[in-house]
Amino acid sequence: MQTSRVDVDLGSRSYPVLIGSELVGGVGEMLREHGLKQTNAFVVTNPQVGALYFLALEKALAAAGFTRVVRHEIPASEEGKNWDEFSAVCAALLGNFPDTGAVPLVILLGGGVVGDLGGFAAGVFRRGVPFVQMPTTLLAAVDSSVGGKVAVNFGGVKNIMGIFNQPRLVVCDLALLRTLAAREVRSGASEIIKYGAVCSPRLFQQLEEGGLERLLALEPETLTDIVAHCVRLKARVVEQDEFDKKGIRNVLNFGHTIGHALELSADYALTHGEAIAIGMIAATHLAQALGKCPAGFAVRLRDLILRAGLPVNFAAEPGLFDRVIRALQMDKKFREGRNVFVLPTSVGAWEQAENVDWTLVHEAVRAVLV
Ligand SMILES: NC(=O)c1ccc[n+]([C@@H]2O[C@H](COP(=O)([O-])OP(=O)(O)OC[C@H]3O[C@@H](n4cnc5c(N)ncnc54)[C@H](O)[C@@H]3O)[C@@H](O)[C@H]2O)c1
Ligand SMILES: [Zn+2]
């Protein structure tokens, strides 16, 4: 199958996203073709992904003239996306490459946790060294590997310590997704449903018309087509609002405000995508309460989320509601107590609402805690 290329056009920080299958073996050559001339590489991965794919990557790098490839692993879950692990990556970078003459190319082989943490470390080591994203989860392929938001969780707040740091290249080898747990595939599908719901009626309809099931089965043509579509949607949003200053990038936060708060409060019992699925239901509830969204949208969204095997609610264990509300109030998009929500208005369209009555927000949270 042919490799698709989506360009993220950000002036001097532009880069291509290459999407295809069986790309790892040729990755060294790809780096060279894209002007990356380093001979040292620092690969951030985790034990699970490293065990599956590091050796193949190392071989491909050696074949393209890399003489030193350092492997650094971080824990394989969201709990590993913390300051201590970030600090350990920085220490390993400095320990292995103390000399300015031997700056490594940082390669992030993994899901969003590896990409977010590693991209942050690459951005601060020597005030920034080049890095490449090699997403290995569906979620990282369609979302976190593109756009340059890199961060770690801190003080109980998700992604609160971070920077904008664009990769030099994204190599998205969809063959790597075959070893993903089904739950992680569903989690990635959640972000894809998000893109359809607020950015693209065509994608939403494609998912409704059987694309979703073909995607979940990792059917190669559908997978490549949908991943490339999502990356194009994300690229267009990021190009208009790289630094998240104009409100345009907020569209990508549909489902993420209540979703993030729930993800943290549920003590990581939910994957990111599962939390976002519930967050999309809650945000839609809020949009309906504000009279901004027709009931038909809510029905279609709920159907698609259920068909993807994703949750639409979560068990209301004692104290959870209060923890979600507290986490919500810490949201970094909120200014001086004024909340901000992305509300769907019809398939492929959205509106931002600020300072929504907290009683309605509480109701929307209660609606998804059963
Ligand atoms: N930077 C952004 O713009 C952005 C956007 C969306 C999400 N995120 C972040 O991404 C993170 C979630 O990323 P994720 O869902 O990729 O989770 P993840 O990185 O934790 O990976 C999920 C699990 O899948 C395993 N895994 C990864 N690739 C595999 C493979 N090919 N085969 C077998 N197992 C594999 C991992 O070891 C892990 O256990 C969150 O921290 C979220 O905040 C960031
Ligand atoms: Zn997300």
Side-chain angles (χ1 to χ4, degrees):
M1 203 180 347
Q2 263 202 320
T3 302
S4 303
R5 174 180 169 138
V6 178
D7 286 286
V8 186
D9 187 0
L10 297 169
S12 60
R13 292 178 302 284
S14 298
Y15 53 95
V17 181
L18 307 176
I19 302 154
S21 203
E22 313 290 351
L23 302 182
V24 171
V27 82
E29 288 313 314
M30 279 178 184
L31 299 175
R32 298 308 185 214
E33 277 163 26
H34 289 87
L36 295 158
K37 300 197 174 79
Q38 295 79 357
T39 52
N40 293 316
F42 181 84
V43 179
V44 185
T45 186
N46 73 32
Q48 231 174 341
V49 180
L52 289 164
Y53 304 115
F54 177 78
L55 291 181
L57 173 61
E58 188 182 38
K59 196 168 152 211
L61 293 173
F66 279 81
T67 51
R68 184 150 178 245
V69 180
V70 175
R71 170 180 183 170
H72 180 91
E73 288 180 350
I74 63 168
S77 75
E78 183 72 26
E79 281 152 274
K81 200 172 129 178
N82 63 45
W83 192 264
D84 289 344
E85 289 300 329
F86 162 72
S87 178
V89 171
C90 296
L93 276 166
L94 182 59
N96 283 288
F97 303 100
D99 177 359
T100 23
V103 167
L105 176 66
V106 174
I107 301 179
L108 308 176
L109 176 69
V113 168
V114 164
D116 280 13
L117 186 150
F120 183 22
V124 295
F125 179 53
R126 297 193 184 285
R127 297 200 180 82
V129 295
F131 77 106
V132 171
Q133 292 272 17
M134 291 188 67
T136 64
T137 63
L138 183 57
L139 182 138
V142 295
D143 196 354
S144 61
S145 65
V146 177
K149 276 193 181 179
V150 290
V152 294
N153 307 330
F154 187 86
V157 188
K158 237 182 106 65
N159 299 330
I160 192 71
M161 296 292 167
I163 55 174
F164 289 94
N165 188 23
Q166 301 294 344
R168 291 294 182 86
L169 178 68
V170 181
V171 180
C172 179
D173 183 348
L174 297 171
L176 307 189
L177 305 190
R178 289 188 206 129
T179 50
L180 262 186
R183 186 178 182 195
E184 295 299 339
V185 175
R186 293 196 293 269
S187 187
S190 185
E191 299 279 2
I192 293 171
I193 293 173
K194 173 194 80 177
Y195 282 113
V198 284
C199 297
S200 170
R202 178 163 80 78
L203 174 59
F204 199 84
Q205 201 179 335
Q206 182 185 9
L207 294 170
E208 287 184 316
E209 289 170 355
L212 179 68
E213 283 71 18
R214 290 194 292 279
L215 173 79
L216 294 170
L218 303 178
E219 196 269 305
E221 246 162 66
T222 305
L223 184 61
T224 312
D225 177 44
I226 290 183
V227 170
H229 190 167
C230 292
V231 170
R232 269 195 303 278
L233 290 169
K234 178 141 188 190
R236 298 300 87 88
V237 169
V238 171
E239 283 162 0
Q240 294 174 68
D241 189 11
E242 182 182 0
F243 299 108
D244 208 357
K245 288 275 189 278
K246 300 179 189 158
I248 297 167
R249 213 170 155 151
N250 282 355
V251 62
L252 303 170
N253 286 327
F254 172 48
H256 280 60
T257 309
I258 294 172
H260 265 166
L262 183 60
E263 186 178 358
L264 273 180
S265 312
D267 282 333
Y268 303 111
L270 293 164
T271 65
H272 178 71
E274 288 167 351
I276 272 30
I278 300 171
M280 288 192 281
I281 298 285
T284 302
H285 191 92
L286 193 55
Q288 283 187 286
L290 289 164
K292 300 212 179 269
C293 175
F297 174 90
V299 172
R300 287 175 71 185
L301 178 70
R302 191 184 163 86
D303 275 359
L304 214 44
I305 288 176
L306 288 171
R307 265 171 57 188
L310 288 160
V312 289
N313 51 40
F314 191 71
E317 55 200 55
L320 181 63
F321 175 81
D322 292 335
R323 290 205 298 282
V324 172
I325 299 300
R326 261 200 310 278
L328 256 182
Q329 284 160 344
M330 299 278 288
D331 192 298
K332 55 192 183 305
K333 296 178 294 299
F334 293 4
R335 305 250 181 276
E336 292 153 12
R338 289 169 69 87
N339 57 40
V340 185
F341 289 91
V342 172
L343 303 178
T345 52
S346 65
V347 175
W350 63 290
E351 210 175 88
Q352 183 158 306
E354 280 185 36
N355 220 8
V356 177
D357 184 346
W358 276 100
T359 324
L360 294 180
V361 177
H362 287 197
E363 254 173 47
V365 173
R366 280 212 177 84
V368 292
L369 297 182
V370 291

